Amino acid sequence: MLKSLTSIFVAVAIAAPAATVMAKPDKGGDLPPGLQKKVERGGELPPGWKKKLRPGYVLENEIYRHAVIVKPVDSRGLVTVRIEGELIRLMHATHEIVDILSH
């Protein structure tokens, strides 16, 4: 019994690092380089960004830079912004969306 437990432990110890290496990297929130250049030159944001809008989602910095503050930071740390016609309430410090006020 001890021998089989040791064998299982060794197999798990060998397989665990391999699973970590094979994991796909986390896609951060940044825009691809081509879209980022377009936005920096005054172009519009990509059409798919609105699909990501939901409470709990952290708004990327590239998207937040286009925000116009509608209601400044309140005592709870919430700020209301408008981004290309969308009214969004979020945590000022983390850019986490708390509520979507318009769609």
Side-chain angles (χ1 to χ4, degrees):
M1 170 117 172
L2 184 60
K3 190 174 186 179
S4 63
L5 286 175
T6 304
S7 299
I8 292 172
F9 178 72
V10 170
V12 170
I14 291 171
T20 306
V21 171
M22 294 187 303
K24 292 182 180 179
D26 180 30
K27 292 186 177 185
D30 295 334
L31 294 173
L35 288 176
Q36 187 171 352
K37 284 181 185 178
K38 179 181 177 183
V39 169
E40 287 171 358
R41 293 179 182 153
E44 290 187 6
L45 295 169
W49 76 270
K50 289 183 182 182
K51 294 177 186 176
K52 297 179 180 180
L53 294 181
R54 65 185 179 282
Y57 177 77
V58 177
L59 203 61
E60 293 107 346
N61 288 331
E62 291 299 320
I63 306 295
Y64 185 76
R65 288 184 189 139
H66 288 267
V68 175
I69 296 176
V70 176
K71 186 175 177 186
V73 180
D74 64 13
S75 61
R76 297 178 295 165
L78 298 174
V79 62
T80 303
V81 298
R82 183 178 307 279
I83 306 172
E84 290 188 5
E86 297 293 328
L87 201 56
I88 305 163
R89 182 178 297 138
L90 48 92
M91 295 298 300
H92 179 65
T94 63
H95 300 169
E96 180 181 347
I97 296 174
V98 176
D99 197 13
I100 312 291
L101 304 173
S102 67
H103 265 293

